[in-house]
Amino acid sequence: MKSAWNDQEAADFVERYAAEGVGEDLALRVYTTRLLGSEPRLVLHGGGNTSVKGRARDVTGAELDVLYVKGSGWDMGDIEPPGLPAVQLDPLLALAGVEALSDEDMVNLQRRNLLDSKAPNPSVETLLHAWVPRTFIDHTHANAALVLTDQPHGEEICREVYGDRAAIVPYIMPGFDLAKAARATADAHPEAEGLVLLKHGLFTFGDTARDAYELMIEFVSLAEARIERGRRRVFAAAELPAPLASASEIAPTIRGLLANRRGRDGNDPGAGDEFERFILEHRASAAILAYVGGAELSRYSQIGTVTPDHAIRTKPLPVVLPAPPAGDLAAWAGRARAAVGAYREAYTAYFERHNPRYGGTKRMLDASPRVVLVPGVGLFASGRDARAAAAAADLAETTVEVITDAESMDRFESITEAELFDIEYWSLEQAKLAGAKEKALGRHVVVVTGGAGAIGRATAAAFRDAGAEVALLDLAGPSLDAAVEAGAGLAVPCDVTDDASVAHAFATVAARYGGVDILVSNAGAAWRGAMADLSEEVLRASFELNFFAHQRVTRAAVRIMRQQATGGCLLFNVSKQAVNPGPDFGPYGLPKAATMSLVRQYAIEHGSEGIRSNGVNADRIRSGVLTDEMIASRSEARGLSEAAYMRGNLLGREVRAEDVAQAFVALALARATTGAILTVDGGNVAAALR
């Protein structure tokens, strides 16, 4: 591993933060923390921290000794000075004489001694940073260091690699006890430049930010060199069926199997949705495929995490599913269901074995696996949203790398099951998870056709605001590119009038997120003309987009929803033309009337599967259907101003794309409503359904 230190960058950080009243040591602490955090082989998703000791003034002007230490919730890769809150040092040092301290009391004392009461909680390893008498301290969960420690002879290997330069600390769960052990070890080895925490990570010390950072890089490089020495081929390949199903073909089944069924009690906070779903992230690098394709996968994958805190995001163990033969997914789904069921039973037993140590006070987390290994296909990680799923996948990929290298030297070894339980059910970490609030449509995947148009973009924004992951389907071109640049969601080029294009688009969404929960079938265009003068070609073109395309995308969505077996929601942009046709709008109104019947037909045929089907009848929405030119011509024909024409309804207000979007969201949340058509037109009695 190479140092990323750059003198000019370091000077720029010092100059930049000096204007904000930040001293040089803290500025350079921020700089090197970012260097560490930007290297995934060192730090992933909160797995590390840094500190610097210094002086600061309190509100009275008194100068105090303080510890600037990474605060909870800050990412080391883009940390700013507020992410290293100042804690009074003397009260922390006074704790060194205390024999025992609960996690809650430790956190409370650390918060009580913050100079800024609004600052984030200092790291759980704050006391370790405080008690080691060095100015700059860096801590990472470097992959290479974990490879050395996560073996039966890990301590012996570390002594061989580092000699007296690093003192060895046995595995102890983070917190007060680890801080005391680390201090005792550092005091007993004053010549040590760092600490190796077995099964956990590395600490390095320095008198400057650069010294501590570059020592970390050196220590990691030494570990990497030791790994490379005498490396052998690791995994003998298992025999797999051929050909295999793809990730997009099996992802909806996996996503459905991971979903947790909620209670139907009206007091259940999840009663609005029968299932607690997960978003999936698929990975299939060459290293991952070699790992999941190994003949001994059921051994080395079921040992434990490579560093303790991974258990909080990934659970202690993944589930292993059978390889999926192409063309036989129904039989494979049955075997996969049995594997996930066995995992849940084993997890429940694991909880019941260890909860008594806490007097039965722990509340069991859901028993669904967070990482799924599929020979020949790769790994799937799950989370409450795409970001959480990606984080779990990053950790799972790190696990693959570390176990692969550990097995190349000897045998991978983790902490004990009891120690894994302690970290997974650690009150401090569980409090963080419990504090995260979910939005109404969190954990849902929404597909919006016509996604680059005005209503499509507004609908995508409304569903994102409600917490959903959104995929926009539309023709490739500048409009779709602009939607992507605006952060509208995953953009998938798709011609909804083409079977192959629709199939590819839904496969793309399934591969990206794991499946589909809500379809907003919105694509359309308005053909005009008197029926008696209309060519059959024009009428067929309108039916192709305004009716058959709705059927085409809905059929694709329902196939995925049925595979997931967690219900779903179909939403259609119909039109007031379906019930209140206007002159020369037959080519548009006729297929829209058929689409309204389609809404109800899907409600009839799939209600028993928990798939709801509803539509929106909107009128006079500025969009690709009602263009500025059309508004001008129609208002002129009626002798009205454009504004008066657009407000020609009972409420006397213009109806916007955002109003239609909110109607779609409302219908998605209406769990007891199906077969309904909601009007969004400002009030038009002639277009009322009844």
Side-chain angles (χ1 to χ4, degrees):
M1 184 173 288
K2 303 296 184 183
S3 170
W5 176 279
N6 179 283
D7 287 338
Q8 185 58 55
E9 286 182 355
D12 290 345
F13 268 73
V14 172
E15 181 179 359
R16 169 187 167 188
Y17 290 124
E20 302 173 17
V22 174
E24 180 175 333
D25 277 359
L26 182 55
L28 292 175
R29 176 71 291 174
V30 170
Y31 173 56
T32 55
T33 301
R34 287 192 178 195
L35 295 181
L36 295 170
S38 63
E39 173 49 75
R41 292 173 295 171
L42 296 176
V43 171
L44 273 178
H45 306 296
N49 41 67
T50 61
S51 71
V52 59
K53 298 177 179 72
R55 304 274 288 171
R57 295 186 183 278
D58 66 12
V59 293
T60 70
E63 196 171 42
L64 303 171
D65 290 325
V66 298
L67 176 74
Y68 295 98
V69 64
K70 179 186 171 294
S72 176
W74 279 85
D75 187 318
M76 289 173 64
D78 58 11
I79 200 166
E80 296 282 352
L84 290 152
V87 190
Q88 294 185 58
L89 188 56
D90 287 344
L92 301 181
L93 296 176
L95 284 176
V98 175
E99 286 303 314
L101 190 68
S102 71
D103 290 331
E104 289 74 16
D105 286 342
M106 179 183 70
V107 171
N108 184 53
L109 183 135
Q110 291 172 180
R111 277 212 63 80
R112 197 167 68 234
N113 286 286
L114 285 165
L115 265 61
D116 180 358
S117 64
K118 300 185 295 298
N121 279 344
S123 165
V124 72
E125 287 164 330
T126 291
L127 293 182
L128 193 160
H129 285 266
W131 292 350
V132 173
R134 301 299 293 270
T135 304
F136 288 85
I137 299 178
D138 292 0
H139 171 44
T140 72
H141 295 173
N143 289 5
L146 294 173
V147 171
L148 300 189
T149 70
D150 290 3
Q151 301 188 49
H153 306 292
E155 181 174 354
E156 178 183 327
I157 296 171
C158 289
R159 293 192 188 281
E160 169 202 328
V161 171
Y162 298 116
D164 293 336
R165 298 185 67 189
I168 311 295
V169 181
Y171 175 75
I172 300 172
M173 183 173 162
F176 185 77
D177 291 342
L178 175 59
K180 287 185 76 70
R183 178 176 183 269
T185 301
D187 287 349
H189 300 84
E191 76 289 350
E193 301 170 75
L195 299 172
V196 175
L197 276 56
L198 296 179
K199 308 284 195 299
H200 182 155
L202 278 178
F203 277 83
T204 55
F205 317 139
D207 294 327
T208 68
R210 182 173 186 174
D211 288 346
Y213 165 72
E214 294 199 325
L215 184 61
M216 178 65 71
I217 302 304
E218 180 186 356
F219 274 18
V220 171
S221 298
L222 290 171
E224 290 172 337
R226 177 63 181 83
I227 294 165
E228 288 303 318
R229 195 187 319 150
R231 180 191 290 275
R232 57 185 172 81
R233 184 182 177 199
V234 183
F235 305 124
E239 287 190 23
L240 301 178
L244 290 167
S246 67
S248 63
E249 289 175 301
I250 67 172
T253 296
I254 293 173
R255 187 163 179 257
L257 292 175
L258 298 190
N260 295 305
R261 185 177 290 274
R262 288 166 159 158
R264 300 186 185 220
D265 185 336
N267 295 319
D268 187 313
D273 191 343
E274 199 174 323
F275 294 92
E276 179 186 64
R277 298 168 170 85
F278 293 95
I279 306 301
L280 300 189
E281 170 91 4
H282 174 245
R283 302 277 174 92
S285 67
I288 290 172
L289 290 174
Y291 181 91
V292 301
E296 292 189 90
L297 177 63
S298 61
R299 175 187 64 80
Y300 53 74
S301 71
Q302 300 299 300
I303 295 171
T305 60
V306 299
T307 191
D309 69 334
H310 284 197
I312 297 160
R313 290 183 185 266
T314 67
K315 291 194 176 291
L317 301 173
V319 66
V320 177
L321 301 188
D328 190 20
L329 289 185
W332 174 83
R335 294 192 294 272
R337 183 175 296 105
V340 173
Y343 181 98
R344 285 194 171 104
E345 291 178 2
Y347 184 87
T348 301
Y350 148 82
F351 178 82
E352 292 173 347
R353 279 195 299 276
H354 297 288
N355 193 29
R357 294 191 289 114
Y358 290 86
T361 59
K362 298 294 183 182
R363 181 177 178 181
M364 193 176 88
L365 303 171
D366 74 85
S368 291
R370 295 297 187 268
V371 177
V372 180
L373 307 179
V374 186
V377 180
L379 69 80
F380 295 85
S382 66
R384 66 174 65 193
D385 54 31
R387 184 175 179 179
D394 288 342
L395 299 181
E397 194 160 2
T398 292
T399 297
V400 167
E401 294 169 5
V402 171
I403 293 180
T404 299
D405 283 345
E407 290 275 320
S408 78
M409 296 176 67
D410 190 356
R411 285 290 179 103
F412 170 66
E413 182 180 272
S414 184
I415 57 178
T416 68
E417 182 183 271
E419 290 166 335
L420 284 166
F421 183 90
D422 292 341
I423 200 81
E424 185 183 6
Y425 282 87
W426 190 12
S427 59
L428 298 186
E429 293 298 337
Q430 292 307 317
K432 289 182 191 177
L433 297 178
K437 302 298 182 184
E438 293 192 32
K439 294 185 177 181
L441 289 173
R443 302 175 179 267
H444 286 70
V445 178
V446 181
V447 171
V448 182
T449 69
I455 293 176
R457 291 197 307 273
T459 299
F463 275 102
R464 284 199 319 278
D465 288 345
E469 307 297 337
V470 180
L472 287 79
L473 275 55
D474 212 322
L475 295 172
S479 295
L480 189 59
D481 295 340
V484 175
E485 291 173 7
L490 172 69
V492 184
C494 179
D495 178 356
V496 294
T497 67
D498 181 80
D499 286 338
S501 182
V502 168
H504 179 266
F506 277 84
T508 299
V509 176
R512 176 64 183 86
Y513 295 125
V516 176
D517 303 303
I518 299 169
L519 169 67
V520 182
S521 189
N522 167 68
W527 277 264
R528 300 176 64 185
M531 293 303 298
D533 302 324
L534 193 69
S535 71
E536 185 174 314
E537 181 182 6
V538 169
L539 187 59
R540 287 185 179 277
S542 183
F543 262 90
E544 189 60 51
L545 179 59
N546 292 311
F547 172 72
F548 286 108
H550 288 291
Q551 161 64 2
R552 186 174 290 109
V553 298
T554 304
R555 183 175 56 201
V558 167
R559 285 172 179 165
I560 292 175
M561 291 173 183
R562 298 177 87 179
Q563 194 176 346
Q564 293 170 158
T566 55
C569 181
L570 308 171
L571 299 170
F572 298 82
N573 190 348
V574 188
S575 169
K576 78 98 179 178
Q577 291 290 333
V579 292
N580 180 217
D584 295 336
F585 268 87
Y588 181 60
L590 287 172
K592 285 296 188 177
T595 297
M596 188 160 69
S597 294
L598 188 71
V599 172
R600 290 168 170 162
Q601 197 65 35
Y602 270 100
I604 291 166
E605 294 179 4
H606 296 285
S608 62
E609 297 172 288
I611 298 174
R612 295 176 288 117
S613 179
N614 296 295
V616 169
N617 274 3
D619 188 26
R620 298 191 189 182
I621 312 297
R622 294 179 189 270
S623 65
V625 172
L626 185 62
T627 63
D628 290 342
E629 293 78 10
M630 190 179 296
I631 292 170
S633 66
R634 295 178 75 177
S635 58
E636 182 179 359
R638 288 165 173 74
L640 298 171
S641 69
E642 291 185 15
Y645 171 74
M646 295 302 291
R647 294 197 301 265
N649 53 55
L650 296 178
L651 295 177
R653 63 177 59 171
E654 180 175 342
V655 184
R656 304 182 185 278
E658 290 76 14
D659 299 316
V660 181
Q662 290 302 321
F664 282 132
V665 171
L667 286 170
L669 293 170
R671 70 186 185 95
T673 298
T674 193
I677 304 295
L678 183 62
T679 57
V680 184
D681 56 11
N684 180 353
V685 174
L689 292 172
R690 57 186 176 187

